[in-house]
Amino acid sequence: MAAVHYRASVVIPLLLVVGAILASFLASSGPIQWMDNGMFLADAAQGQYFSQTLTPLDHPLYLFVTTALFAAFGPLVLSFMNSLLLIPLAWAIFRLARGAGATVSQALLAIAAAVLCHSVFWVSTKAEVYVLHTLLVTLAYMVQFNDKPRLGVMPALFLIGVLTGMAAAIHQLTFIVLFPLYVQMLWQHKARILITLPGFAMGFSVAFPGISNELHSGMNLIDIGHRYLIGIPDTSTEQSWQGALFRFDDMWHEKNSVGLLLLSLIGPQLVGLLLFPKSPTLRVLWCAAMMNFIFAVSYNVTDRFTFFLPGAVLLSIVGVIQLQALLPRKASGLVTASPLAAPMTILAVYTVYASGAIQLPVHKETLPFRDDIHYFMAPYLSDRSAEAFVRSYEQSTPEGSLIIADWTPNGALRSAQASGLLKGRTFELCEEVQNIDGYLNGPGAYLARTSYCDAIGERFALETLPLGYELRVK
């Protein structure tokens, strides 16, 4: 009887893991996507493996990986990259959870909870940097807390340095999320931690071409590092993010984006966040997750929820273990079902919203074919609105024409062209376009939408089309 119970306690969580990962593939947004996600797909199609600069918006390792994947397999496989990465991420979570004291069942439930967490699942269906980054961060913690260490101390520290450098070559969030790990390693290993430095250099080496170019342009290493971490020093410009850091004063005004982040706490993650663990290993993971949460919730950008992936993964581990200890043994079914809390709650609210019974806040600047609540809040349902927009727009714009758009539809247009659609069209951002007149007497110039493009609307007469506008001389 005990053997049957054990098998059930493992098989059911394992089925949840498999189902969660398969659901990510089914919910993928495909090779045509909005905004940054579309631009990542378009950038991969350029065949440029190395970043030529090192700014806060450069992600050198991600660019290298996606460019190689696009060259080898094309846009469709690339669009599934983050869903595919859930497989090694699941293994890393399992090994880290086991190292933190979880049973096999708890480790599997932690994987399911992490994958089905709102922020992780959302990013897995898009072209975005955070799943690969979270994988590397999780691996770094896994090496330190591995329950079956095969490496000696020095090789393990060196490997952690390599993983840290690779993660830093994707995103600056690395230095926040791995800070507690390095404090723990310093306390445990003292000066031997210095071996992580050459490891970091090796992992970060994909960014060296960009650094070299910056040095040749006249910048010094201190300025390059400062800009990469938090933007250029001048906080009055759009290229600086210093003014967006730790804006607790603006959280209520931006409550919609804060609310999106809080969706990632539905389930065992909330228990993990609120209950300080007793285990030393879990405390390190909790500190990392808490630092990540404080940073993300106060970071004054619309997509702040995407910055919470590492913390959400770590809280999934801490939360499942804490929840199991909190509930009596006869309530083990609640622990097993806890990974489903997020999708069930979110989809229930979305169903009520879709029926018209409640209203939820949406962006004031609407996009054709896109329901913002579906797009942002319910990632478990596939959203192909960018593809629908492009296929409709392709009928309105002839080859050789100029299409002007703001950043969000521009991502859809450029990723579509990388996938073979909209051939022969030229794309320009509203704030950067210059030579419009040359297209007016030829193939034509078109404006995707007037949002964020007021200057274009003032210069030209707009002829309304079924989708967007055609520019005419006033």
Side-chain angles (χ1 to χ4, degrees):
M1 191 68 179
V4 173
H5 175 73
Y6 175 78
R7 284 197 295 270
S9 70
V10 171
V11 170
I12 294 174
L14 181 59
L15 290 176
L16 284 175
V17 170
V18 174
I21 295 175
L22 287 177
S24 173
F25 281 92
L26 294 174
S28 170
S29 290
I32 302 172
Q33 300 181 22
W34 299 107
M35 205 172 171
D36 293 2
N37 313 127
M39 291 306 300
F40 284 134
L41 291 164
D43 289 344
Q46 301 303 308
Q48 183 171 299
Y49 288 85
F50 297 97
S51 297
Q52 299 305 299
T53 56
L54 192 65
T55 71
L57 297 180
D58 286 312
H59 310 284
L61 181 58
Y62 180 81
L63 176 65
F64 182 88
V65 171
T66 54
T67 301
L69 197 59
F70 186 96
F73 301 105
L76 182 61
V77 172
L78 177 58
S79 70
F80 287 120
M81 186 183 90
N82 282 339
S83 294
L84 289 165
L85 285 173
L86 292 178
I87 298 171
L89 178 61
W91 177 80
I93 293 171
F94 183 85
R95 291 262 49 98
L96 174 56
R98 293 287 285 156
T103 64
V104 171
S105 175
Q106 289 172 344
L108 290 171
L109 290 173
I111 298 169
V115 173
L116 291 173
C117 171
H118 172 269
S119 59
V120 177
F121 198 94
W122 191 94
V123 173
S124 76
T125 65
K126 306 290 187 293
E128 191 54 272
V129 303
Y130 300 102
V131 174
L132 180 57
H133 176 260
T134 299
L135 170 61
L136 295 168
V137 167
T138 306
L139 286 170
Y141 276 101
M142 184 204 77
V143 172
Q144 174 65 6
F145 298 121
N146 198 337
D147 62 323
K148 296 180 179 178
R150 293 181 174 87
L151 298 174
V153 172
M154 297 301 280
L157 290 174
F158 180 80
L159 179 56
I160 290 172
V162 173
L163 292 166
T164 303
M166 293 174 69
I170 295 177
H171 206 279
Q172 303 86 341
L173 186 61
T174 302
F175 301 105
I176 293 175
V177 182
L178 289 184
F179 180 76
L181 175 63
Y182 275 78
V183 171
Q184 198 271 346
M185 290 194 304
L186 180 62
W187 174 81
Q188 182 180 359
H189 300 296
K190 307 298 188 293
R192 287 184 292 181
I193 195 178
L194 292 175
I195 193 63
T196 61
L197 294 177
F200 179 91
M202 180 181 292
F204 199 67
S205 60
V206 72
F208 288 174
I211 295 175
S212 177
N213 288 339
E214 300 282 29
L215 290 172
H216 282 106
S217 70
M219 293 185 69
N220 59 54
L221 285 175
I222 294 176
D223 289 340
I224 293 171
H226 183 279
R227 186 181 67 175
Y228 183 59
L229 288 174
I230 54 176
I232 60 178
D234 183 3
T235 58
S236 65
T237 70
E238 294 181 357
Q239 295 185 41
S240 176
W241 280 262
Q242 291 185 59
L245 296 172
F246 304 112
R247 292 299 303 273
F248 299 100
D249 59 310
D250 215 23
M251 285 173 57
W252 178 251
H253 181 263
E254 299 296 332
K255 53 186 175 294
N256 293 343
S257 61
V258 172
L260 278 176
L261 186 149
L262 296 180
L263 294 178
S264 294
L265 295 178
I266 299 175
Q269 292 85 359
L270 182 61
V271 176
L273 184 71
L274 296 181
L275 297 182
F276 187 64
K278 297 178 181 179
S279 160
T281 299
L282 291 181
R283 285 181 178 179
V284 176
L285 302 184
W286 183 89
C287 288
M290 178 61 80
M291 290 179 65
N292 189 184
F293 176 76
I294 292 172
F295 170 82
V297 79
S298 63
Y299 190 34
N300 196 31
V301 293
T302 303
D303 61 346
R304 67 185 74 196
F305 72 94
T306 62
F307 290 82
F308 189 49
L309 261 70
V313 166
L314 298 179
L315 285 180
S316 298
I317 297 172
V318 177
V320 166
I321 296 175
Q322 294 279 76
L323 189 61
Q324 186 85 68
L326 185 66
L327 295 176
R329 183 179 295 273
K330 62 182 179 181
S332 60
L334 292 177
V335 181
T336 303
S338 62
L340 297 174
M344 289 180 66
T345 302
I346 290 170
L347 290 176
V349 173
Y350 176 76
T351 301
V352 176
Y353 158 80
S355 72
I358 60 172
Q359 295 294 317
L360 294 173
V362 297
H363 200 288
K364 63 180 180 179
E365 303 292 347
T366 59
L367 281 163
F369 300 101
R370 193 176 93 176
D371 178 338
D372 280 350
I373 302 302
H374 176 189
Y375 181 78
F376 283 110
M377 195 187 84
Y380 314 101
L381 304 174
S382 178
D383 178 275
R384 294 294 183 104
S385 56
E387 181 178 346
F389 161 73
V390 165
R391 292 193 180 280
S392 177
Y393 209 66
E394 192 172 35
Q395 308 303 316
S396 305
T397 58
E399 287 195 35
S401 61
L402 170 68
I403 302 176
I404 306 167
D406 61 280
W407 184 255
T408 300
N410 188 63
L413 296 169
R414 290 187 179 274
S415 59
Q417 195 168 71
S419 295
L421 300 177
L422 291 169
K423 293 179 180 178
R425 280 76 165 183
T426 300
F427 308 120
E428 293 284 356
L429 289 169
C430 299
E431 62 271 22
E432 296 178 359
V433 62
Q434 295 180 353
N435 181 27
I436 299 176
D437 295 334
Y439 288 89
L440 296 181
N441 296 325
Y446 298 83
L447 183 64
R449 62 173 181 168
T450 54
S451 303
Y452 311 107
C453 297
D454 295 338
I456 304 296
E458 292 171 359
R459 286 178 55 196
F460 299 93
L462 303 181
E463 180 180 330
T464 303
L465 302 175
L467 194 62
Y469 307 87
E470 183 174 2
L471 303 185
R472 301 287 189 183
V473 177
K474 272 191 175 181

